[in-house]
Amino acid sequence: MLFEVTVKSITGRPLPSTTQSVVLNSENCYDIEAYGSDTRLRYVVNPNDRRDKALLITIDETIASVLAAANTAWGDIWVKLPVETVVGGTTTDRYIPVKSITWAEAVSNQTDHVYIDYNIGGFKTTRVMVPFSLTDVVYVGSTGTSSS
């Protein structure tokens, strides 16, 4: 299941500020442990690529909320993403397997546009921009529809 978290620290990927809200795929998490009042976990962006090194992420969530996301059923197998090349531009629908979504983060200075990273095949990760909020991305993962 896709779930939204606030990342407090991460190894292997820069944070644009002291924290960052992102959407993660619960199937790519492992070694989940309490870390003070936060949770720390390892996250693999592309589990199909044996060369991909796990990120060590500290998030502002409880272990219970991470496990709840992991134990939530997926909405659909495929989802439609209205992909834009520029903010407010023309959209082109792209259909992808929802479980291939690995990371989503807000476009700089935008609350209604996100970058979504998803895996294609074994080794390729693609990034697209869609006119969604992070909450919308989670909604798409749980329902298969793009309107919350």
Coordinates of all heavy atoms in Angstrom, one line a residue, residues 15-87:
L15 N 17.7 15.6 1.1 CA 16.4 16.2 1.5 C 16.4 17.6 1.0 O 17.4 18.3 1.2 CB 16.2 16.1 3.0 CG 15.7 14.8 3.6 CD1 15.7 14.9 5.1 CD2 14.4 14.3 3.0
P16 N 15.3 18.2 0.5 CA 15.3 19.6 0.1 C 15.3 20.6 1.2 O 15.6 21.7 1.1 CB 14.1 19.7 -0.8 CG 13.2 18.6 -0.3 CD 14.1 17.5 0.2
S17 N 14.9 20.1 2.4 CA 14.9 20.9 3.6 C 15.1 20.0 4.8 O 15.5 18.9 4.6 CB 13.6 21.7 3.7 OG 12.5 20.8 3.9
T18 N 14.8 20.5 6.0 CA 15.0 19.6 7.2 C 14.1 18.4 7.2 O 14.5 17.4 7.8 CB 14.9 20.4 8.5 OG1 13.6 21.1 8.5 CG2 16.0 21.5 8.6
T19 N 12.9 18.5 6.7 CA 12.0 17.4 6.5 C 11.4 17.4 5.1 O 11.5 18.4 4.4 CB 10.9 17.4 7.6 OG1 10.1 18.6 7.3 CG2 11.4 17.4 9.0
Q20 N 10.8 16.3 4.7 CA 10.2 16.2 3.4 C 9.0 15.3 3.5 O 9.2 14.1 4.0 CB 11.1 15.8 2.4 CG 10.5 15.7 1.0 CD 11.5 15.1 -0.1 OE1 12.5 14.6 0.2 NE2 11.1 15.3 -1.3
S21 N 7.8 15.7 3.0 CA 6.7 14.7 3.0 C 6.8 14.0 1.7 O 7.0 14.6 0.6 CB 5.4 15.5 3.0 OG 5.2 16.0 4.3
V22 N 6.7 12.6 1.7 CA 6.8 11.8 0.6 C 5.7 10.7 0.7 O 5.1 10.4 1.8 CB 8.2 11.2 0.4 CG1 9.2 12.2 0.2 CG2 8.5 10.2 1.5
V23 N 5.5 10.0 -0.4 CA 4.7 8.8 -0.4 C 5.6 7.6 -0.7 O 6.4 7.7 -1.6 CB 3.6 8.8 -1.5 CG1 2.9 7.5 -1.6 CG2 2.6 9.9 -1.1
L24 N 5.5 6.6 0.1 CA 6.3 5.4 0.0 C 5.4 4.2 -0.3 O 4.2 4.2 0.0 CB 7.1 5.1 1.3 CG 8.1 6.2 1.8 CD1 8.7 5.7 3.1 CD2 9.1 6.4 0.7
N25 N 6.0 3.1 -0.8 CA 5.3 1.8 -1.1 C 5.7 0.9 0.1 O 6.9 0.6 0.3 CB 5.8 1.3 -2.4 CG 5.1 0.0 -2.8 OD1 4.7 -0.8 -1.9 ND2 5.0 -0.3 -4.1
S26 N 4.7 0.5 0.8 CA 5.0 -0.3 2.0 C 5.7 -1.7 1.7 O 6.4 -2.2 2.5 CB 3.7 -0.6 2.8 OG 2.8 -1.4 2.0
E27 N 5.5 -2.2 0.5 CA 6.1 -3.4 0.1 C 7.7 -3.3 -0.1 O 8.4 -4.3 -0.2 CB 5.5 -4.0 -1.2 CG 4.1 -4.4 -1.0 CD 3.5 -5.1 -2.2 OE1 4.2 -5.3 -3.2 OE2 2.3 -5.5 -2.1
N28 N 8.2 -2.1 -0.1 CA 9.6 -1.8 -0.3 C 10.3 -1.5 1.0 O 11.5 -1.2 1.0 CB 9.8 -0.7 -1.3 CG 9.3 -1.0 -2.7 OD1 8.7 -2.0 -2.9 ND2 9.5 -0.1 -3.6
C29 N 9.6 -1.6 2.1 CA 10.1 -1.3 3.5 C 10.6 -2.6 4.2 O 9.9 -3.7 4.0 CB 9.1 -0.7 4.4 SG 8.5 0.9 3.8
Y30 N 11.6 -2.6 4.9 CA 12.0 -3.7 5.8 C 12.9 -3.2 6.9 O 13.2 -2.0 7.0 CB 12.7 -4.8 5.0 CG 14.1 -4.5 4.4 CD1 15.2 -4.8 5.1 CD2 14.2 -3.8 3.2 CE1 16.5 -4.5 4.6 CE2 15.4 -3.5 2.7 CZ 16.6 -3.8 3.3 OH 17.8 -3.5 2.8
D31 N 13.2 -4.0 7.9 CA 13.9 -3.6 9.1 C 13.3 -2.4 9.8 O 14.0 -1.4 10.1 CB 15.4 -3.4 8.8 CG 16.2 -4.6 8.5 OD1 15.7 -5.7 8.8 OD2 17.3 -4.5 8.0
I32 N 12.0 -2.5 10.0 CA 11.3 -1.4 10.6 C 11.5 -1.5 12.1 O 11.3 -2.5 12.7 CB 9.8 -1.5 10.3 CG1 9.6 -1.5 8.8 CG2 9.0 -0.4 11.0 CD1 8.2 -1.9 8.4
E33 N 11.9 -0.3 12.7 CA 12.2 -0.3 14.2 C 11.9 1.0 14.8 O 11.9 2.1 14.1 CB 13.7 -0.7 14.4 CG 14.6 0.3 13.8 CD 16.1 0.0 14.0 OE1 16.4 -1.2 14.5 OE2 17.0 0.8 13.7
A34 N 11.6 1.0 16.1 CA 11.4 2.3 16.8 C 12.7 3.0 16.9 O 13.8 2.4 17.1 CB 10.8 2.0 18.2
Y35 N 12.7 4.3 16.8 CA 13.9 5.1 16.8 C 13.5 6.4 17.6 O 13.2 7.4 17.1 CB 14.4 5.5 15.4 CG 15.7 6.1 15.3 CD1 16.9 5.4 15.7 CD2 15.8 7.4 14.9 CE1 18.1 6.0 15.6 CE2 17.1 8.0 14.8 CZ 18.2 7.3 15.2 OH 19.5 7.9 15.1
G36 N 13.6 6.3 19.0 CA 13.1 7.3 19.8 C 11.6 7.4 19.6 O 10.9 6.4 19.7
S37 N 11.0 8.6 19.4 CA 9.6 8.7 19.1 C 9.3 8.6 17.7 O 8.1 8.7 17.3 CB 9.1 10.1 19.6 OG 9.8 11.1 18.9
D38 N 10.3 8.3 16.8 CA 10.1 8.1 15.4 C 10.2 6.6 15.0 O 10.4 5.8 15.9 CB 11.1 8.9 14.6 CG 11.1 10.4 15.0 OD1 9.9 10.9 15.1 OD2 12.1 11.1 15.1
T39 N 10.2 6.4 13.7 CA 10.4 5.0 13.2 C 11.5 5.1 12.2 O 11.6 6.1 11.4 CB 9.1 4.5 12.5 OG1 8.1 4.4 13.5 CG2 9.4 3.1 11.9
R40 N 12.4 4.1 12.2 CA 13.5 4.0 11.2 C 13.3 2.8 10.4 O 12.9 1.7 11.0 CB 14.8 4.0 11.9 CG 16.0 4.2 10.9 CD 17.3 4.6 11.5 NE 17.7 3.6 12.5 CZ 18.8 3.7 13.2 NH1 19.6 4.7 13.0 NH2 19.2 2.7 14.0
L41 N 13.5 2.8 9.1 CA 13.4 1.7 8.3 C 14.3 1.7 7.1 O 14.9 2.8 6.8 CB 11.9 1.6 7.8 CG 11.3 2.8 7.0 CD1 11.6 2.8 5.6 CD2 9.8 2.9 7.3
R42 N 14.5 0.6 6.5 CA 15.3 0.5 5.2 C 14.2 0.5 4.1 O 13.2 -0.1 4.2 CB 16.1 -0.7 5.2 CG 17.2 -0.6 6.3 CD 18.4 -1.4 5.9 NE 19.4 -1.2 7.0 CZ 20.4 -0.3 7.1 NH1 20.5 0.6 6.1 NH2 21.2 -0.3 8.1
Y43 N 14.6 1.2 3.0 CA 13.6 1.3 1.9 C 14.4 1.1 0.6 O 15.4 1.8 0.3 CB 13.0 2.7 1.9 CG 11.9 2.9 0.9 CD1 10.6 2.3 1.2 CD2 12.1 3.5 -0.3 CE1 9.6 2.4 0.3 CE2 11.0 3.6 -1.2 CZ 9.8 3.1 -0.9 OH 8.8 3.2 -1.8
V44 N 13.9 0.2 -0.2 CA 14.5 -0.1 -1.5 C 13.6 0.6 -2.6 O 12.4 0.2 -2.7 CB 14.6 -1.6 -1.8 CG1 15.2 -1.9 -3.1 CG2 15.4 -2.2 -0.7
V45 N 14.2 1.5 -3.3 CA 13.4 2.2 -4.4 C 13.0 1.2 -5.5 O 11.9 1.2 -6.0 CB 14.1 3.4 -4.9 CG1 13.4 4.1 -6.1 CG2 14.3 4.4 -3.8
N46 N 14.0 0.4 -5.9 CA 13.7 -0.6 -7.0 C 14.1 -2.0 -6.5 O 15.2 -2.4 -6.7 CB 14.5 -0.2 -8.3 CG 14.1 -1.1 -9.4 OD1 13.4 -2.1 -9.3 ND2 14.4 -0.7 -10.6
P47 N 13.1 -2.7 -5.9 CA 13.4 -4.0 -5.4 C 13.8 -5.1 -6.5 O 14.3 -6.1 -6.2 CB 12.2 -4.4 -4.6 CG 11.1 -3.6 -5.3 CD 11.7 -2.3 -5.7
N48 N 13.5 -4.7 -7.7 CA 13.8 -5.7 -8.8 C 15.3 -5.5 -9.3 O 15.7 -6.4 -10.1 CB 12.9 -5.4 -10.0 CG 11.4 -5.6 -9.7 OD1 11.1 -6.5 -9.0 ND2 10.6 -4.7 -10.2
D49 N 16.0 -4.5 -8.8 CA 17.3 -4.3 -9.3 C 18.3 -4.6 -8.1 O 18.3 -3.9 -7.1 CB 17.5 -2.8 -9.7 CG 18.8 -2.5 -10.3 OD1 19.7 -3.3 -10.2 OD2 19.0 -1.3 -10.8
R50 N 19.0 -5.7 -8.2 CA 19.9 -6.1 -7.2 C 21.0 -5.1 -6.9 O 21.6 -5.2 -5.8 CB 20.5 -7.5 -7.4 CG 21.3 -7.6 -8.7 CD 21.9 -9.0 -8.9 NE 22.4 -9.2 -10.2 CZ 23.3 -8.6 -10.9 NH1 24.0 -7.6 -10.3 NH2 23.7 -9.0 -12.1
R51 N 21.2 -4.2 -7.8 CA 22.3 -3.1 -7.6 C 21.7 -2.0 -6.7 O 22.5 -1.2 -6.3 CB 22.7 -2.6 -8.9 CG 23.3 -3.6 -9.9 CD 23.4 -3.1 -11.3 NE 22.1 -2.7 -11.8 CZ 21.9 -2.1 -12.9 NH1 22.9 -1.8 -13.7 NH2 20.7 -1.8 -13.3
D52 N 20.4 -1.9 -6.5 CA 19.8 -0.8 -5.7 C 20.2 -1.0 -4.3 O 19.9 -2.0 -3.7 CB 18.3 -0.8 -6.0 CG 17.7 0.5 -5.5 OD1 18.4 1.5 -5.3 OD2 16.5 0.5 -5.4
K53 N 20.8 0.0 -3.7 CA 21.1 0.0 -2.3 C 20.0 0.6 -1.4 O 19.4 1.6 -1.8 CB 22.4 0.8 -2.1 CG 22.9 0.7 -0.7 CD 24.2 1.5 -0.6 CE 24.8 1.5 0.8 NZ 26.0 2.2 1.0
A54 N 19.6 -0.1 -0.4 CA 18.5 0.4 0.5 C 18.9 1.7 1.2 O 20.0 1.9 1.6 CB 18.2 -0.6 1.6
L55 N 17.9 2.6 1.2 CA 18.0 3.9 1.9 C 17.6 3.7 3.4 O 16.7 2.9 3.7 CB 17.1 4.9 1.3 CG 17.2 5.2 -0.2 CD1 16.0 6.0 -0.7 CD2 18.5 5.8 -0.5
L56 N 18.3 4.3 4.3 CA 18.0 4.3 5.7 C 17.2 5.5 6.0 O 17.7 6.6 5.9 CB 19.2 4.2 6.6 CG 19.0 4.1 8.1 CD1 18.1 2.9 8.4 CD2 20.3 4.1 8.8
I57 N 15.9 5.4 6.3 CA 15.0 6.6 6.4 C 14.5 6.6 7.9 O 14.0 5.6 8.4 CB 13.8 6.4 5.4 CG1 14.4 6.3 4.0 CG2 12.9 7.6 5.6 CD1 13.3 6.1 3.0
T58 N 14.5 7.8 8.4 CA 13.8 8.1 9.7 C 12.5 8.9 9.4 O 12.6 9.9 8.7 CB 14.7 8.9 10.7 OG1 15.9 8.1 10.9 CG2 14.0 9.1 12.0
I59 N 11.4 8.4 9.8 CA 10.1 9.0 9.5 C 9.4 9.4 10.8 O 9.6 8.8 11.9 CB 9.2 8.2 8.7 CG1 8.9 6.8 9.3 CG2 9.8 8.0 7.3 CD1 7.9 5.9 8.6
D60 N 8.6 10.4 10.7 CA 7.8 10.9 11.9 C 6.4 10.1 11.9 O 5.4 10.7 11.7 CB 7.5 12.4 11.7 CG 6.9 13.0 12.9 OD1 6.9 12.4 14.0 OD2 6.5 14.2 12.8
E61 N 6.5 8.8 12.1 CA 5.4 8.0 12.2 C 5.6 6.9 13.2 O 6.8 6.6 13.5 CB 5.1 7.3 10.8 CG 4.7 8.2 9.7 CD 3.3 8.8 9.9 OE1 2.5 8.1 10.5 OE2 3.1 9.8 9.3
T62 N 4.6 6.3 13.7 CA 4.7 5.1 14.6 C 4.9 3.8 13.8 O 4.5 3.8 12.6 CB 3.5 5.0 15.5 OG1 2.4 4.7 14.7 CG2 3.3 6.3 16.3
I63 N 5.4 2.8 14.4 CA 5.5 1.5 13.7 C 4.1 1.0 13.4 O 3.9 0.5 12.4 CB 6.3 0.5 14.6 CG1 7.8 0.9 14.7 CG2 6.1 -0.9 14.1 CD1 8.6 0.1 15.6
A64 N 3.2 1.3 14.3 CA 1.8 0.8 14.1 C 1.2 1.4 12.8 O 0.5 0.7 12.1 CB 0.9 1.2 15.3
S65 N 1.5 2.7 12.5 CA 0.9 3.3 11.3 C 1.6 2.7 10.1 O 0.9 2.5 9.0 CB 1.0 4.8 11.3 OG 2.3 5.2 11.3
V66 N 2.9 2.4 10.1 CA 3.6 1.8 9.0 C 3.0 0.4 8.8 O 2.7 0.0 7.6 CB 5.1 1.7 9.2 CG1 5.8 1.0 8.1 CG2 5.7 3.1 9.4
L67 N 2.8 -0.4 9.8 CA 2.3 -1.7 9.7 C 0.8 -1.7 9.2 O 0.4 -2.5 8.4 CB 2.4 -2.5 11.0 CG 3.8 -2.8 11.5 CD1 3.7 -3.5 12.8 CD2 4.5 -3.6 10.5
A68 N 0.1 -0.7 9.6 CA -1.3 -0.6 9.1 C -1.3 -0.3 7.6 O -2.2 -0.9 6.9 CB -2.0 0.6 9.9
A69 N -0.5 0.5 7.2 CA -0.4 0.8 5.7 C 0.0 -0.5 5.0 O -0.5 -0.8 3.9 CB 0.6 1.9 5.4
A70 N 1.0 -1.2 5.5 CA 1.5 -2.4 4.9 C 0.4 -3.5 4.8 O 0.4 -4.3 3.9 CB 2.7 -3.0 5.7
N71 N -0.5 -3.5 5.8 CA -1.6 -4.5 5.8 C -2.9 -4.1 5.2 O -3.9 -4.8 5.3 CB -1.8 -4.9 7.3 CG -0.6 -5.7 7.8 OD1 0.0 -6.5 7.2 ND2 -0.3 -5.4 9.1
T72 N -2.9 -3.0 4.5 CA -4.1 -2.5 3.8 C -4.0 -3.0 2.3 O -3.0 -3.0 1.7 CB -4.1 -0.9 3.8 OG1 -4.1 -0.5 5.1 CG2 -5.3 -0.4 3.1
A73 N -5.2 -3.4 1.9 CA -5.2 -4.0 0.5 C -5.1 -2.9 -0.5 O -5.5 -1.8 -0.3 CB -6.6 -4.7 0.3
W74 N -4.5 -3.3 -1.7 CA -4.4 -2.4 -2.8 C -5.8 -2.2 -3.5 O -6.6 -3.2 -3.4 CB -3.5 -3.0 -3.9 CG -2.0 -3.0 -3.4 CD1 -1.4 -4.1 -2.7 CD2 -1.1 -2.0 -3.5 NE1 -0.1 -3.7 -2.4 CE2 0.1 -2.5 -2.9 CE3 -1.1 -0.7 -4.0 CZ2 1.3 -1.7 -2.8 CZ3 0.1 0.0 -3.9 CH2 1.3 -0.5 -3.3
G75 N -6.1 -1.1 -4.0 CA -7.4 -0.8 -4.7 C -7.5 -1.5 -6.0 O -8.4 -2.3 -6.2
D76 N -6.6 -1.3 -6.9 CA -6.6 -1.9 -8.3 C -5.2 -2.3 -8.6 O -4.2 -1.9 -8.0 CB -7.1 -0.9 -9.3 CG -8.6 -0.8 -9.3 OD1 -9.3 -1.7 -9.0 OD2 -9.1 0.3 -9.8
I77 N -5.1 -3.1 -9.7 CA -3.8 -3.5 -10.2 C -3.1 -2.4 -11.0 O -2.0 -2.1 -10.9 CB -3.9 -4.8 -10.9 CG1 -4.3 -5.9 -10.0 CG2 -2.5 -5.1 -11.6 CD1 -4.6 -7.2 -10.7
W78 N -4.0 -1.7 -11.8 CA -3.5 -0.6 -12.7 C -4.2 0.7 -12.4 O -5.3 0.7 -12.0 CB -3.8 -1.0 -14.2 CG -3.0 -2.1 -14.7 CD1 -3.2 -3.4 -14.5 CD2 -1.8 -2.0 -15.5 NE1 -2.2 -4.1 -15.2 CE2 -1.4 -3.3 -15.8 CE3 -1.1 -0.9 -16.0 CZ2 -0.2 -3.5 -16.5 CZ3 0.0 -1.1 -16.8 CH2 0.5 -2.4 -17.0
V79 N -3.4 1.8 -12.5 CA -4.0 3.1 -12.3 C -3.7 4.0 -13.4 O -2.7 3.8 -14.2 CB -3.5 3.7 -11.0 CG1 -4.0 3.0 -9.8 CG2 -2.0 3.9 -11.0
K80 N -4.5 5.0 -13.6 CA -4.3 6.0 -14.7 C -3.7 7.3 -14.0 O -4.3 7.8 -13.1 CB -5.7 6.3 -15.3 CG -5.6 7.4 -16.4 CD -6.9 7.7 -17.1 CE -7.8 8.5 -16.3 NZ -9.0 8.9 -17.0
L81 N -2.6 7.7 -14.6 CA -2.0 8.9 -14.2 C -2.1 10.0 -15.3 O -1.7 9.7 -16.4 CB -0.5 8.7 -13.8 CG -0.2 7.7 -12.7 CD1 1.3 7.6 -12.6 CD2 -0.8 8.2 -11.4
P82 N -2.6 11.2 -15.0 CA -2.7 12.3 -16.0 C -1.3 13.0 -16.0 O -1.1 14.0 -15.2 CB -3.8 13.1 -15.5 CG -3.8 12.9 -14.0 CD -3.3 11.5 -13.8
V83 N -0.4 12.6 -16.8 CA 1.0 13.1 -16.8 C 1.1 14.4 -17.5 O 0.5 14.6 -18.6 CB 1.9 12.1 -17.5 CG1 3.3 12.6 -17.6 CG2 1.9 10.8 -16.7
E84 N 1.8 15.4 -16.9 CA 2.0 16.7 -17.5 C 3.5 16.9 -17.6 O 4.3 16.3 -16.8 CB 1.5 17.8 -16.5 CG 0.1 17.9 -16.4 CD -0.3 19.1 -15.4 OE1 0.5 19.7 -14.8 OE2 -1.6 19.3 -15.4
T85 N 3.9 17.6 -18.7 CA 5.4 17.9 -18.8 C 5.7 19.2 -18.2 O 6.8 19.5 -17.7 CB 5.8 18.0 -20.3 OG1 4.9 18.9 -21.0 CG2 5.6 16.6 -21.0
V86 N 4.7 20.2 -18.0 CA 4.9 21.4 -17.3 C 3.7 21.6 -16.4 O 2.6 21.1 -16.7 CB 5.0 22.6 -18.2 CG1 6.3 22.5 -19.0 CG2 3.9 22.8 -19.1
V87 N 3.8 22.3 -15.3 CA 2.7 22.6 -14.4 C 1.6 23.3 -15.1 O 1.8 24.3 -15.7 CB 3.2 23.4 -13.1 CG1 2.0 23.8 -12.3 CG2 4.2 22.6 -12.3

